[in-house]
Amino acid sequence: MVAHSHQSSVNDDDSVPEISTCPNCESGKMEVFYEAASAPSNSCILLGSQEEAENYPRGKIRLGFCSDCGFISNVSFDRRLTEYSGRYEETQGFSGTFNAFHKALAQRLIDHYDLHEKEVIEIGCGKGEFLLLLCEMGNNRGTGFDPGFVAERINSPAAERINFVKDYYSEKYSSYQGDFLCCKMTLEHIHSTAEFIKTVRRSIGDRLDTIVFFQIPNATRILKDCSFEDIYYEHCSYFTPGSLAKLFRRCGFEVMDLATEYDDQYLTIEARPSSHETGQEAALEQENDLDAIKQYVQEFPEKFAQKRELWEKRLDEYRGMGKKVVLWGSGSKGVSFLTTLKVPEELEYVVDINPYRKGCFMSGTGQKIVGPEFLKDYQPDVVIVMNEIYCDEIGDSLREIGLEPQIIAL
Ligand SMILES: [Zn+2]
């Protein structure tokens, strides 16, 4: 995480002015196409009481689209409302499905870039899982930056080769140089994207053999499938392959590869610093997506209205039939689902396998977070899964405790 921020309540009369110029290409105009007037400003934070959860500070989401570069940004974003600390609980590392993906990704990067006994830097390392994998599997040394890092959670023989800095990455850390610099699920939290990538480029300096790897949510999928659950306050920046590649090229990188991972949910870029001004012409086929993105943006409001109606009708029917419904997945998608839709108050519980989240409450709406074992007594009729990719894993967990409720994915 990079933005300098601490949590505070911001009054309406104190709100930041909206941006009108694209922070990605620094020239296009932002046109708003989606709004959520009052979204909890943090959805992964651990909240110990229902009252604190229900009264959590809220902010405005107004997604603007730049038709010059294809970038999408919350033009009303106020970084004073964000908090990334030890109580920011974002890890997906308790899921077998996710860990298998993470391990395969680490192996692919180690093999492709011969990352053995090298120096690895991770910006926004969270609880450090990916950096540990790279250092364990390739016998590398590492430095990870994240204000939400928790030292007590690290348990790995590779830990002695890693230096964790509990802070936002910034230019003051440019003395930390690596052969491989990675930044996963962080750039989408940064509002001034061009400013940030230029900082990274300046920090690398003339070490032109440094490999840079970024991973972020894939906004093309969010737009195409109208995944409103993937739009939440912490994510102020949304990239498509085209807007991501343009950003890197403009900021002094050569783009080597763009790919999607995890059922198209993630977008990745592999780049290296260039010594010369690089042209803006798209080098990779995936970058030529602007016309398609414009179309998706145009269709989004209608698709969203339909999807909201469908889910609200469905929830209402369950209530009418007296069915017990729980959500599975208490992270940002769950928070967005509960705050975007009209949800019956009978929906009282959200399940999560992350033990650190158990006993906490959903930011904004206050449902209680429970572990899977809670369902044994509760006996839900319907489990709504926030991320389809976990359906099989969740089905297995339910069968293990003798339950076979209807499983339905968002
Ligand atoms: Zn732009």
Side-chain angles (χ1 to χ4, degrees):
M1 308 303 146
V2 163
H4 306 275
S5 52
H6 59 275
Q7 194 205 322
S8 59
S9 289
V10 177
N11 301 324
D12 265 354
D13 49 14
D14 188 30
S15 59
V16 292
E18 287 198 346
I19 53 158
S20 56
T21 305
C22 174
N24 206 57
C25 66
E26 298 175 308
S27 62
K29 290 277 154 280
M30 303 306 276
E31 281 195 44
V32 173
F33 69 96
Y34 175 79
E35 278 186 70
S38 174
S41 63
N42 196 311
S43 47
C44 281
I45 205 94
L46 300 177
L47 299 169
S49 79
Q50 190 163 24
E51 201 196 346
E52 187 189 10
E54 286 175 352
N55 295 315
Y56 198 80
R58 287 177 176 248
K60 225 188 283 176
I61 297 175
R62 282 170 44 81
L63 291 190
F65 173 65
C66 169
S67 55
D68 280 10
C69 77
F71 183 62
I72 290 165
S73 171
N74 176 7
V75 298
S76 293
F77 184 70
D78 184 347
R79 70 182 182 185
R80 293 172 300 176
L81 285 170
T82 60
E83 173 188 347
Y84 300 112
S85 63
R87 65 173 194 154
Y88 186 75
E89 188 59 45
E90 78 286 40
T91 187
Q92 293 165 285
F94 294 99
S95 156
T97 309
F98 183 78
N99 288 339
F101 155 73
H102 231 186
K103 224 170 163 171
L105 176 63
Q107 193 62 59
R108 173 170 80 72
L109 292 168
I110 287 169
D111 292 345
H112 193 71
Y113 294 110
D114 190 22
L115 301 178
H116 297 278
E117 295 176 10
K118 298 268 169 69
E119 215 55 67
V120 177
I121 289 181
E122 185 172 10
I123 299 173
C125 63
K127 305 291 179 271
E129 292 102 337
F130 193 64
L131 187 55
L132 281 164
L133 282 178
L134 288 174
C135 292
E136 280 166 12
M137 293 159 66
N139 198 27
N140 296 303
R141 295 171 303 277
T143 307
F145 295 89
D146 203 301
F149 176 71
V150 182
E152 303 77 63
R153 297 261 289 262
I154 296 296
N155 177 20
S156 156
E160 58 188 33
R161 298 195 299 275
I162 304 177
N163 175 20
F164 286 102
V165 181
K166 208 176 148 121
D167 194 5
Y168 296 105
Y169 178 79
S170 71
E171 231 158 344
K172 77 173 175 192
Y173 295 113
S174 57
S175 59
Y176 289 88
Q177 295 283 353
D179 303 290
F180 185 79
L181 186 151
C182 65
C183 180
K184 294 173 68 254
M185 308 317 272
T186 295
L187 185 58
E188 69 276 20
H189 296 252
I190 294 168
H191 205 215
S192 304
T193 52
E195 204 179 297
F196 176 66
I197 298 299
K198 284 177 192 166
T199 300
V200 172
R201 178 63 191 89
R202 277 198 301 272
S203 302
I204 293 171
D206 56 6
R207 291 183 49 121
L208 300 181
D209 50 356
T210 306
I211 301 296
V212 173
F213 174 84
F214 273 62
Q215 178 194 309
I216 46 174
N218 176 17
T220 305
R221 186 193 63 87
I222 297 173
L223 294 169
K224 199 169 141 193
D225 299 352
C226 187
S227 308
F228 68 88
E229 72 278 12
D230 284 311
I231 299 169
Y232 39 88
Y233 199 79
E234 298 103 301
H235 285 186
C236 51
S237 297
Y238 298 80
F239 289 94
T240 64
S243 60
L244 184 64
K246 280 191 194 86
L247 170 69
F248 273 76
R249 214 173 280 118
R250 271 191 72 241
C251 297
F253 287 94
E254 181 191 330
V255 179
M256 297 184 291
D257 196 26
L258 288 162
T260 57
E261 307 262 5
Y262 217 50
D263 273 1
D264 265 1
Q265 295 187 24
Y266 301 146
L267 174 61
T268 61
I269 186 166
E270 290 163 45
R272 64 178 164 218
S274 60
S275 54
H276 51 87
E277 278 290 300
T278 20
Q280 280 305 296
E281 61 287 350
L284 301 165
E285 209 196 306
Q286 306 100 291
E287 293 177 44
N288 296 314
D289 57 1
L290 196 54
D291 287 341
I293 302 302
K294 280 180 187 166
Q295 184 75 27
Y296 295 147
V297 166
Q298 206 177 52
E299 292 164 358
F300 194 86
E302 178 63 33
K303 276 190 195 167
F304 170 67
Q306 282 171 7
K307 201 162 178 180
R308 180 162 67 181
E309 198 188 315
L310 177 117
W311 273 99
E312 288 182 346
K313 206 172 135 213
R314 193 175 273 163
L315 290 168
D316 210 45
E317 279 168 9
Y318 292 146
R319 194 184 53 87
M321 291 187 282
K323 288 192 170 176
K324 280 202 243 173
V325 181
V326 295
L327 248 53
W328 192 298
S330 74
S332 309
K333 290 171 200 276
V335 167
S336 184
F337 181 89
L338 293 169
T339 49
T340 308
L341 303 178
K342 254 192 243 96
V343 175
E345 57 185 37
E346 286 83 356
L347 200 163
E348 286 179 275
Y349 299 103
V350 179
V351 187
D352 209 294
I353 53 170
N354 180 339
Y356 294 98
R357 300 187 66 92
K358 199 164 101 178
C360 293
F361 296 84
M362 295 298 280
S363 181
T365 49
Q367 286 83 359
K368 191 172 187 182
I369 301 169
V370 296
E373 68 288 347
F374 172 87
L375 301 182
K376 231 170 155 174
D377 288 333
Y378 188 68
Q379 302 266 332
D381 301 295
V382 182
V383 174
I384 304 176
V385 175
M386 292 296 103
N387 188 342
E388 197 172 11
I389 205 163
Y390 299 121
C391 277
D392 289 347
E393 187 179 329
I394 290 168
D396 290 346
S397 306
L398 288 166
R399 271 187 297 279
E400 265 169 43
I401 51 174
L403 298 175
E404 285 197 48
Q406 181 190 347
I407 297 176
I408 178 167
L410 243 190

